[in-house]
Amino acid sequence: MSSAEIGKQRMPRIVVQELTDELIRFMLLGTDVSIANALRRVIMSEVPTIAIDLVEVIENSSCLCDEFIAHRLGLIPLLSVKAAEMEFPYDYVGDDEGKTDISIDLRVKCTSDQTEDVTSNDLICNDPRVQPINYAPTRRAAGENNTSDDMDEDRGEDNGILIVKLRKNQEINFRCVARKGIARDHAKWSPVATAVYRFEPEITINEEMMNTLTEEEKIAFVDSCPVPVFRYNDQTRRVEIDTPESYTYDGECLKKAEDMGKPGLVDIRAKQDSFWFTVESTGALKPEEIVINALKVLQRKLDITKDELDNVAKEQAENFVV
């Protein structure tokens, strides 16, 4: 590779703008839409998490059928930090089930005259690192014998994710197996609730044309945008760009400029090498871990592609020599 070609290489970078326990907002700079979309798709469908995959029904006298409850159990987000240490069940050929399986039990019987809510807090988790998000186990899940009234007092503000409701003398007894997987196989392994990106807008104001507007027209133009992209400065009497990142490509300000007989008052274009990402976690993984793991998966895919292309080029070179 020549020095000129090396100079043309892009150097993508990420700038984190907001980070909470549930959400990350960042800018992806210095690349094109193909990489941005690839990253989004990997985040959504190829970051491994842990979810309930197998359910053995020992007893179910509730009003819901076995398959319905098993489906609801599978969709409960589980803490998935341990996923990095586990193996995919379809890849592992060893005899150690601990590498692929994590057991979770659910045993509840209603003895009260009132309806009993069975939630994710009633799951009996045998591995403390793999449990439902916001897990606040009831005394029943902890192995203590209590009445239904004691359970309600023990739940606190977070009642957990509802699984099923039981009436008096109804009972459920399930043995579950949680496994590592990816959302490409089933949505229950998805680590995110949302993962979206949008182009960074490049906004330019035609100052010469803007100066021909009256103060009322400038204010009306600023107010025409549903989000505060522009602002009117009372001191300078000028329209300024306030928060360009809030622009949603609705086109309202452009329509207002045309209605005022001033087409071209502002020029808004999407930058082709700058993207705003918003990734919201289900709670299975921290949002920053999701992005880091997605980048690792994408890097691994690119490495495999490069190796295959190198092999093809090598075979073609050998055939040409022959």
Side-chain angles (χ1 to χ4, degrees), residues 59-62 108-110 166-167 169-173:
E59 176 68 29
N60 178 22
S61 56
S62 71
V108 179
K109 182 175 182 179
C110 180
L166 299 179
R167 296 303 300 269
N169 295 327
Q170 290 183 339
E171 180 182 3
I172 58 173
N173 188 349

Side-chain angles (χ1 to χ4, degrees), residues 172-197:
I172 58 173
N173 188 349
F174 292 163
R175 292 176 182 169
C176 309
V177 175
R179 290 176 169 174
K180 177 180 178 178
I182 57 176
R184 187 178 62 183
D185 297 328
H186 195 286
K188 64 186 176 184
W189 281 298
S190 177
V192 296
T194 57
V196 297
Y197 74 85

Side-chain angles (χ1 to χ4, degrees), residues 10-298:
R10 295 191 176 190
M11 298 298 293
R13 65 186 188 279
I14 287 179
V15 179
V16 178
Q17 297 178 313
E18 180 183 352
L19 178 61
T20 66
D21 292 337
E22 300 176 349
L23 180 78
I24 183 173
R25 301 184 194 273
F26 64 90
M27 292 187 67
L28 177 63
L29 307 171
T31 187
D32 57 32
V33 68
S34 65
I35 298 299
N37 193 50
L39 178 59
R40 181 187 69 88
R41 295 177 71 90
V42 170
I43 287 174
M44 293 176 60
S45 62
E46 299 198 48
V47 174
T49 62
I50 299 173
I52 293 176
D53 191 34
L54 296 179
V55 176
E56 179 185 354
V57 181
I58 301 173
E59 176 68 29
N60 178 22
S61 56
S62 71
C63 61
L64 299 182
C65 65
D66 300 345
E67 294 82 1
F68 197 96
I69 298 178
H71 184 260
R72 292 179 67 84
L73 287 169
L75 293 177
I76 296 175
L78 303 178
L79 298 180
S80 301
V81 176
K82 191 178 178 179
E85 305 172 13
M86 298 176 63
E87 301 287 343
F88 291 106
Y90 46 78
D91 288 339
Y92 185 65
V93 294
D95 298 327
D96 185 4
E97 293 185 354
K99 289 286 187 180
T100 60
D101 298 353
I102 298 173
S103 63
I104 298 176
D105 298 324
L106 179 61
R107 296 188 294 270
V108 179
K109 182 175 182 179
C110 180
T111 58
S112 170
D113 292 331
Q114 297 182 348
T115 301
E116 176 75 14
D117 291 348
V118 181
T119 72
S120 57
N121 289 334
D122 291 309
L123 291 173
I124 303 172
C125 303
N126 299 309
D127 189 325
R129 291 193 295 168
V130 180
Q131 56 190 23
I133 61 172
N134 302 323
Y135 185 53
T138 61
R139 296 174 185 172
R140 176 169 53 209
E144 301 179 17
N145 293 324
N146 291 275
T147 63
S148 298
D149 292 337
D150 292 334
M151 295 301 103
D152 293 337
E153 294 177 0
D154 190 56
R155 291 178 191 273
E157 296 182 358
D158 189 355
N159 292 328
I161 300 171
L162 181 64
I163 300 173
V164 66
K165 292 176 179 284
L166 299 179
R167 296 303 300 269
K168 187 173 182 179
N169 295 327
Q170 290 183 339
E171 180 182 3
I172 58 173
N173 188 349
F174 292 163
R175 292 176 182 169
C176 309
V177 175
R179 290 176 169 174
K180 177 180 178 178
I182 57 176
R184 187 178 62 183
D185 297 328
H186 195 286
K188 64 186 176 184
W189 281 298
S190 177
V192 296
T194 57
V196 297
Y197 74 85
R198 54 194 175 92
F199 294 90
E200 179 185 4
E202 186 175 6
I203 304 174
T204 304
I205 299 177
N206 188 325
E207 295 293 348
E208 182 177 352
M209 190 177 296
M210 185 66 72
N211 291 333
T212 63
L213 301 180
T214 64
E215 182 176 352
E216 291 75 14
E217 289 175 329
K218 292 179 180 178
I219 295 175
F221 172 78
V222 170
D223 293 339
S224 68
C225 198
V227 290
V229 177
F230 304 98
R231 68 178 177 183
Y232 179 73
N233 192 319
D234 294 327
Q235 296 180 349
T236 61
R237 298 180 182 275
R238 297 178 58 185
V239 174
E240 302 173 347
I241 300 174
D242 187 14
T243 55
E245 65 276 7
S246 64
Y247 186 64
T248 58
Y249 294 93
D250 50 78
E252 292 298 324
C253 57
L254 300 178
K255 294 177 184 177
K256 181 64 175 179
E258 293 180 358
D259 294 341
M260 296 169 63
K262 302 290 184 179
L265 182 63
V266 292
D267 180 53
I268 304 178
R269 299 181 181 180
K271 293 183 179 180
Q272 299 301 312
D273 62 349
S274 182
F275 310 90
W276 279 319
F277 271 78
T278 300
V279 178
E280 182 180 350
S281 172
T282 61
L285 292 170
K286 293 182 179 179
E288 65 270 25
E289 292 177 350
I290 295 174
V291 176
I292 293 173
N293 291 344
L295 290 171
K296 291 178 180 178
V297 173
L298 185 58

